[in-house]
Amino acid sequence: MATVAANPAAAAAAVAAAAAVTEDREPQHEELPGLDSQWRQIENGESGRERPLRAGESWFLVEKHWYKQWEAYVQGGDQDSSTFPGCINNATLFQDEINWRLKEGLVEGEDYVLLPAAAWHYLVSWYGLEHGQPPIERKVIELPNIQKVEVYPVELLLVRHNDLGKSHTVQFSHTDSIGLVLRTARERFLVEPQEDTRLWAKNSEGSLDRLYDTHITVLDAALETGQLIIMETRKKDGTWPSAQLHVMNNNMSEEDEDFKGQPGICGLTNLGNTCFMNSALQCLSNVPQLTEYFLNNCYLEELNFRNPLGMKGEIAEAYADLVKQAWSGHHRSIVPHVFKVGHFASQFLGYQQHDSQELLSFLLDGLHEDLNRVKKKEYVELCDAAGRPDQEVAQEAWQNHKRRNDSVIVDTFHGLFKSTLVCPDCGNVSVTFDPFCYLSVPLPISHKRVLEVFFIPMDPRRKPEQHRLVVPKKGKISDLCVALSKHTGISPERMMVADVFSHRFYKLYQLEEPLSSILDRDDIFVYEVSGRIEAIEGSREDIVVPVYLRERTPARDYNNSYYGLMLFGHPLLVSVPRDRFTWEGLYNVLMYRLSRYVTKPNSDDEDDGDEKEDDEEDKDDVPGPSTGGSLRDPEPEQAGPSSGVTNRCPFLLDNCLGTSQWPPRRRRKQLFTLQTVNSNGTSDRTTSPEEVHAQPYIAIDWEPEMKKRYYDEVEAEGYVKHDCVGYVMKKAPVRLQECIELFTTVETLEKENPWYCPSCKQHQLATKKLDLWMLPEILIIHLKRFSYTKFSREKLDTLVEFPIRDLDFSEFVIQPQNESNPELYKYDLIAVSNHYGGMRDGHYTTFACNKDSGQWHYFDDNSVSPVNENQIESKAAYVLFYQRQDVARRLLSPAGSSGAPASPACSSPPSSEFMDVN
């Protein structure tokens, strides 16, 4: 209980009142009870000072000398004795007779005795209280393992934020709540009931600490006598004076200080890739009942500071501040500094782009735990239906959910699923009912995909061709070859598919491999061939040889004589007839295949000149006949592992050609030399055990001068586009109801997520079906536009057609329905979170209907513009917010809202005022 301790006027009033009581009770000597009776009533019995302490009751201090004199008087047995104590006089206990503050260091039994309230009132009625002295009343407080009379309460200095010079010193018990301190401060400073206030405590270091939890005690808050408590009052624009630094950044110029606009029509500044956060916040801000809940301060009584799953009320208070600012009508836009969610969740730290639906899920969960009315969650065992009626099981599941989760978020956003699992082996059926906060509905996915490939014909006169192919998503490499065959007329059997990366073959595909292993970003080359890579002994088929292009480049070394070989250009798959499978024959075949962009030297160019020079050159440039190649060849640029071809062959290319390089002795001038290499394009073929016995690759090694003279790089990189490159696969729009139907379709669990069958006692790939049992007031529908697989990530830009009003869920709810109230199953749209762009980059915006005006607006960070209803539906729609019609009707009634919120389905203003956001 708070008592005034330092205000002279208040103290004087208290003393006068006490004096009046004392005068009224001034005893006549003959009215005193017998001395024995006095002793029994004061010392013994239920009202005596020997009785045990009880928390919360009042006890009074009496000066020890007066009390000893009274004891001597009553024990003397003579009522007319000169030891009569007279009026109770506590003067020696006070520091002064103005503020009547107790002296410091008073000790019970030495300076005073303690009397319960009844005993005190007896003594005052018998002997009276010294004129002008106030009674010294103190409370019994309960501390851990002990109860004691609080002789020295905590004296707090209460001040207002805008008048720190004027303070009220008020005494509070250690067991008083911070809520009492706040109420006392509001009374002292005459704060209007509709004004929001909060308290700050100045600590010993001079900084201020928020007193968040108004339910804790002064003792728990560690407040001490003399501590300064500052009461802060929220401004009309929804901001707190303590947030002045942020307010300065809210684009509030001097001419905007008197701005008065439509509440709720307020932008949010982008803090650096925080459009995802702004979009989610704008959607939530336009949920009428949730916004009214915060505007009317209903959240203050439900803040849960002790929930280990929550944020100790911080996220709820931060959201409340944002709502009050956005709906004050005094801002065109605000800076949501207090709501940078990275402060609450590490996954949203930094300035990377995130998902608005993920943020929304986190925010709803955080608000729920911060506002959970259940202070101590009990253990609830989940029970299967076990053949019981659905109605009974559903009611039990919902009651169990509410025993642990009860908040405005549950009231507004939570519904109930029916989940049915069927074991494929024993047929066991498991039925459970589970709560949900939003529906994540899949979009009908096309079974086709578009792949861009380059076709390399065998005819050297033809340039490579770029093709855009429509192939099955779950098809095989052979399906790609069949699709390409329709464009080129080349049989699929004469095609070989490769992934080319960094001038080498990253992977050579087999026909039976899945197309899902090809990513959209891969460079896929399809080569026309007339044979196979695996050389089979006795076969007359041509041998397909992988060929790389390399250029010898000087590298810095101590003597400047070190040479490196760097890959360049596109690799080739060359078909070589068996009867020409010699180094000389291979050289001629390659000259033919490169003839479009490699010039054949004339007879003068072929004259090598001095044979001696050739011999000397051979010593430097030509390695010996070893499969290891030149020891001086450095490894070129690395591009990661390559599958290459690792099947063992009955005979090796080296055996057919005799040596690992050509020509071993130069007699005529050649444009390039040939070298056997591994799949990475390096001459060291012993890097892995598999490649020792694998078909080698061939590298065409160019000298820089020869390459510059005979190799046409522009022509080599040239290609033509097939007519199919301009093809764009059209996507038909889908209805939202189709997505919901797909959501409730029976599916088989994936291998990574099996179900443990209690009957079979083992994990099973059961069939699962979700049905809607109970729908919430606000239904959030998340369109699953982002698709993730082991090999690919894509965004589905399918147009989903969704109604603005009268979305009917009666066909999807399996709970027995109330046919007399169809509004329980019909919804109207109130907000949409949009995502523009692709997987790696994008931008989030919001369409929302204002709860007061019924007008739709487009929120793009700090920009807000009115829009027509026909602009809301687009391919960018990502998260939809629907309000149940019976709730909208309830909010429209005078009892449901202090204002007059309009229906979201009301008419729109003239189109000339709207921006085109599509």
Side-chain angles (χ1 to χ4, degrees):
M1 180 177 181
T3 57
V4 177
N7 188 310
V15 170
V21 172
T22 303
E23 290 174 2
D24 291 341
R25 296 180 178 179
E26 189 70 37
Q28 300 297 321
H29 199 63
E30 62 273 16
E31 294 180 1
L32 286 173
L35 299 181
D36 291 340
S37 176
Q38 290 186 44
W39 178 261
R40 286 194 303 272
Q41 293 184 61
I42 301 301
E43 284 290 333
N44 304 317
E46 180 62 25
S47 63
R49 73 186 189 99
E50 297 299 328
R51 51 158 295 189
L53 301 175
R54 298 189 183 98
E57 66 182 5
S58 295
W59 285 60
F60 292 79
L61 275 70
V62 177
E63 197 266 338
K64 176 67 179 298
H65 177 74
W66 184 92
Y67 191 78
K68 285 298 182 182
Q69 188 171 352
W70 172 81
E71 282 186 331
Y73 170 65
V74 296
Q75 289 176 352
D78 183 4
Q79 285 189 323
D80 298 324
S81 171
S82 60
T83 58
F84 181 78
C87 292
I88 301 173
N89 189 350
N90 290 328
T92 59
L93 301 180
F94 294 110
Q95 285 184 355
D96 58 69
E97 297 185 359
I98 299 177
N99 296 320
W100 301 101
R101 179 173 293 143
L102 287 184
K103 293 178 179 178
E104 296 293 333
L106 297 179
V107 178
E108 182 183 3
E110 294 182 7
D111 302 299
Y112 63 88
V113 295
L114 289 169
L115 298 178
W120 164 260
H121 290 308
Y122 283 141
L123 288 179
V124 171
S125 66
W126 299 334
Y127 298 96
L129 181 62
E130 188 71 25
H131 180 73
Q133 285 186 9
I136 308 175
E137 181 181 2
R138 293 296 184 261
K139 293 286 186 181
V140 177
I141 62 174
E142 187 168 8
L143 300 176
N145 304 319
I146 189 174
Q147 291 181 337
K148 60 175 289 187
V149 176
E150 185 182 37
V151 176
Y152 292 99
V154 179
E155 294 184 358
L156 300 178
L157 304 179
L158 303 183
V159 298
R160 204 167 187 175
H161 72 274
N162 55 358
D163 189 6
L164 299 180
K166 183 179 180 181
S167 66
H168 291 266
T169 302
V170 183
Q171 287 185 344
F172 294 93
S173 167
H174 285 86
T175 58
D176 286 339
S177 69
I178 299 300
L180 177 61
V181 179
L182 179 60
R183 291 192 297 272
T184 304
R186 291 176 65 95
E187 292 172 1
R188 293 289 183 269
F189 298 115
L190 306 177
V191 176
E192 296 294 330
Q194 69 274 14
E195 292 186 275
D196 292 346
T197 55
R198 62 184 186 182
L199 297 179
W200 297 81
K202 187 175 182 180
N203 59 34
S204 58
E205 297 176 353
S207 57
L208 299 178
D209 299 323
R210 266 288 311 280
L211 298 177
Y212 287 97
D213 191 351
T214 58
H215 299 286
I216 65 173
T217 63
V218 170
L219 178 65
D220 293 334
L223 299 184
E224 300 174 348
T225 293
Q227 196 162 359
L228 188 68
I229 304 298
I230 302 173
M231 187 187 72
E232 183 182 21
T233 306
R234 192 190 297 273
K235 298 166 65 176
K236 291 182 178 180
D237 65 357
T239 61
W240 295 99
S242 59
Q244 192 65 36
L245 291 177
H246 296 326
V247 175
M248 292 172 63
N249 294 324
N250 274 346
N251 300 326
M252 290 285 288
S253 58
E254 293 183 4
E255 58 268 22
D256 292 337
E257 289 182 356
D258 298 326
F259 172 76
K260 184 63 179 175
Q262 173 71 44
I265 310 305
C266 177
L268 298 174
T269 299
N270 193 318
L271 304 178
N273 273 341
T274 57
C275 57
F276 73 98
M277 179 184 76
N278 293 346
S279 178
L281 290 174
Q282 292 288 14
C283 287
L284 269 190
S285 175
N286 283 278
V287 173
Q289 57 267 54
L290 185 64
T291 295
E292 289 294 334
Y293 171 86
F294 281 98
L295 291 179
N296 295 330
N297 288 336
C298 300
Y299 73 99
L300 291 175
E301 292 302 315
E302 297 184 345
L303 285 171
N304 191 333
F305 297 96
R306 296 176 178 85
N307 188 350
L309 301 178
M311 305 291 174
K312 302 189 184 305
E314 288 187 47
I315 198 168
E317 289 209 325
Y319 182 74
D321 287 347
L322 183 136
V323 167
K324 287 176 181 287
Q325 292 179 47
W327 287 86
S328 68
H330 290 280
H331 298 283
R332 290 183 172 88
S333 67
I334 58 177
V335 182
H337 282 294
V338 294
F339 212 84
K340 187 67 171 70
V341 289
H343 170 66
F344 303 108
S346 59
Q347 65 264 37
F348 299 110
L349 279 173
Y351 295 95
Q352 292 79 24
Q353 184 63 275
H354 296 282
D355 189 299
S356 68
Q357 187 272 331
E358 291 178 1
L359 182 278
L360 187 65
S361 175
F362 163 79
L363 182 54
L364 288 173
D365 187 59
L367 288 174
H368 159 65
E369 296 296 355
D370 269 4
L371 298 168
N372 199 344
R373 303 174 187 118
V374 179
K375 306 306 179 185
K376 186 177 181 180
K377 294 189 178 185
E378 57 182 301
Y379 171 75
V380 176
E381 186 174 354
L382 299 179
C383 298
D384 194 82
R388 293 179 294 163
D390 283 352
Q391 193 78 28
E392 176 186 338
V393 181
Q395 184 175 359
E396 178 187 85
W398 184 249
Q399 288 175 348
N400 287 341
H401 179 58
K402 292 278 287 191
R403 283 162 64 186
R404 292 175 55 85
N405 304 279
D406 185 13
S407 69
V408 66
I409 302 300
V410 175
D411 300 340
T412 307
F413 297 98
H414 283 206
L416 205 61
F417 282 140
K418 177 186 177 182
S419 175
T420 306
L421 288 161
V422 180
C423 178
D425 285 354
C426 67
N428 177 45
V429 179
S430 171
V431 175
T432 57
F433 288 82
D434 305 302
F436 68 89
C437 190
Y438 52 85
L439 299 181
S440 287
V441 299
L443 274 62
I445 300 175
S446 171
H447 298 292
K448 301 286 185 181
R449 66 181 290 199
V450 175
L451 281 179
E452 288 190 358
V453 302
F454 286 91
F455 175 65
I456 313 298
M458 287 182 62
D459 186 348
R461 296 168 296 179
R462 293 175 56 189
K463 291 184 177 182
E465 300 172 357
Q466 184 183 20
H467 291 257
R468 179 171 288 176
L469 307 176
V470 179
V471 295
K473 276 190 174 180
K474 296 185 178 180
K476 300 179 180 178
I477 297 297
S478 57
D479 295 315
L480 183 151
C481 296
V482 170
L484 183 59
S485 176
K486 296 176 181 178
H487 292 184
T488 62
I490 303 299
S491 171
E493 287 76 19
R494 293 173 59 86
M495 294 181 184
M496 191 167 288
V497 182
D499 180 0
V500 175
F501 179 74
S502 191
H503 313 297
R504 57 171 65 89
F505 291 117
Y506 185 79
K507 183 176 178 65
L508 294 174
Y509 291 97
Q510 302 297 322
L511 293 177
E512 295 304 311
E513 290 190 67
L515 282 174
S516 58
S517 60
I518 297 180
L519 306 182
D520 291 337
R521 65 175 181 267
D522 291 342
D523 291 325
I524 301 302
F525 284 66
V526 182
Y527 296 85
E528 181 188 359
V529 296
S530 60
R532 53 194 299 165
I533 287 184
E534 300 89 349
I536 300 177
E537 192 170 8
S539 172
R540 291 191 174 186
E541 285 186 335
D542 294 350
I543 298 177
V544 177
V545 181
V547 178
Y548 291 151
L549 300 174
R550 303 194 299 183
E551 180 181 4
R552 192 178 298 275
T553 57
R556 295 183 181 274
D557 200 353
Y558 296 112
N559 55 10
N560 204 31
S561 62
Y562 188 91
Y563 285 84
L565 288 165
M566 304 299 293
L567 292 168
F568 72 93
H570 298 303
L572 297 172
L573 289 176
V574 179
S575 301
V576 183
R578 287 179 178 270
D579 58 358
R580 303 185 64 184
F581 205 58
T582 64
W583 283 117
E584 186 80 31
L586 184 58
Y587 178 85
N588 293 329
V589 169
L590 291 175
M591 282 295 297
Y592 173 72
R593 284 297 302 269
L594 303 175
S595 61
R596 182 170 57 84
Y597 46 90
V598 172
T599 306
K600 187 176 181 180
N602 55 37
S603 57
D604 294 336
D605 293 333
E606 291 182 355
D607 185 5
D608 196 303
D610 190 86
E611 186 176 320
K612 183 178 180 181
E613 292 179 1
D614 286 346
D615 292 340
E616 293 177 355
E617 186 179 290
D618 288 342
K619 294 177 182 177
D620 292 336
D621 297 339
V622 180
S626 165
T627 57
S630 172
L631 297 175
R632 293 184 298 164
D633 289 344
E635 284 198 12
E637 58 193 55
Q638 297 297 314
S642 169
S643 64
V645 178
T646 60
N647 295 331
R648 295 191 176 190
C649 305
F651 61 94
L652 298 178
L653 185 62
D654 290 352
N655 298 334
C656 299
L657 301 178
T659 60
S660 63
Q661 82 290 323
W662 183 85
R665 287 279 182 181
R666 297 183 184 175
R667 290 292 180 264
R668 303 181 59 181
K669 191 71 172 178
Q670 303 297 334
L671 298 187
F672 46 78
T673 60
L674 302 179
Q675 173 80 36
T676 57
V677 294
N678 60 20
S679 58
N680 276 329
T682 64
S683 298
D684 181 8
R685 291 186 52 217
T686 60
T687 54
S688 65
E690 293 83 358
E691 291 197 84
V692 172
H693 300 288
Q695 168 68 54
Y697 289 35
I698 297 296
I700 299 176
D701 294 340
W702 290 83
E703 295 292 337
E705 287 300 321
M706 299 297 284
K707 177 175 176 285
K708 183 177 180 181
R709 185 173 179 182
Y710 296 105
Y711 187 89
D712 187 344
E713 292 194 43
V714 175
E715 183 63 26
E717 296 292 331
Y719 67 94
V720 295
K721 291 185 178 182
H722 190 269
D723 293 340
C724 65
V725 173
Y727 169 78
V728 177
M729 191 164 62
K730 295 183 179 179
K731 297 181 180 179
V734 299
R735 296 168 57 245
L736 179 60
Q737 288 84 343
E738 295 177 53
C739 302
I740 300 171
E741 287 175 2
L742 198 58
F743 175 79
T744 57
T745 302
V746 177
E747 63 177 356
T748 302
L749 298 179
E750 298 177 348
K751 293 181 180 179
E752 296 80 11
N753 187 30
W755 169 65
Y756 182 79
C757 176
S759 179
C760 295
K761 304 298 182 184
Q762 59 183 340
H763 289 88
Q764 300 283 3
L765 299 182
T767 59
K768 181 178 181 180
K769 187 178 190 306
L770 290 176
D771 291 297
L772 300 177
W773 180 265
M774 183 180 71
L775 297 179
E777 294 183 355
I778 299 295
L779 181 60
I780 302 175
I781 302 177
H782 164 225
L783 304 178
K784 297 172 70 174
R785 291 197 176 275
F786 299 106
S787 173
Y788 302 92
T789 67
K790 182 178 180 181
F791 297 102
S792 64
R793 301 166 69 237
E794 64 175 328
K795 180 192 175 184
L796 306 176
D797 59 353
T798 307
L799 175 63
V800 178
E801 298 174 340
F802 51 87
I804 303 296
R805 55 181 69 80
D806 293 329
L807 174 60
D808 192 351
F809 269 87
S810 58
E811 62 178 300
F812 300 109
V813 177
I814 64 171
Q815 182 184 14
Q817 299 181 13
N818 182 0
E819 297 181 359
S820 63
N821 193 0
E823 288 183 338
L824 291 174
Y825 312 102
K826 288 187 176 181
Y827 286 80
D828 294 332
L829 188 72
I830 58 172
V832 181
S833 175
N834 304 301
H835 179 269
Y836 300 93
M839 293 291 296
R840 293 180 177 83
D841 55 6
H843 183 59
Y844 288 93
T845 64
T846 300
F847 289 115
C849 178
N850 186 272
K851 70 180 182 67
D852 297 330
S853 68
Q855 168 64 54
W856 282 90
H857 286 80
Y858 181 64
F859 297 83
D860 185 357
D861 287 335
N862 58 355
S863 173
V864 185
S865 303
V867 291
N868 266 323
E869 286 186 3
N870 58 13
Q871 296 174 269
I872 297 171
E873 186 181 280
S874 73
K875 292 182 178 180
Y878 183 43
V879 183
L880 311 175
F881 282 66
Y882 278 94
Q883 183 181 48
R884 210 167 62 203
Q885 288 185 350
D886 69 307
V887 176
R889 200 83 59 196
R890 184 186 73 212
L891 295 176
L892 277 170
S893 65
S897 174
S898 57
S903 168
C906 64
S907 59
S908 303
S911 59
S912 60
E913 298 180 8
F914 305 116
M915 62 174 291
D916 187 0
V917 296
N918 291 330

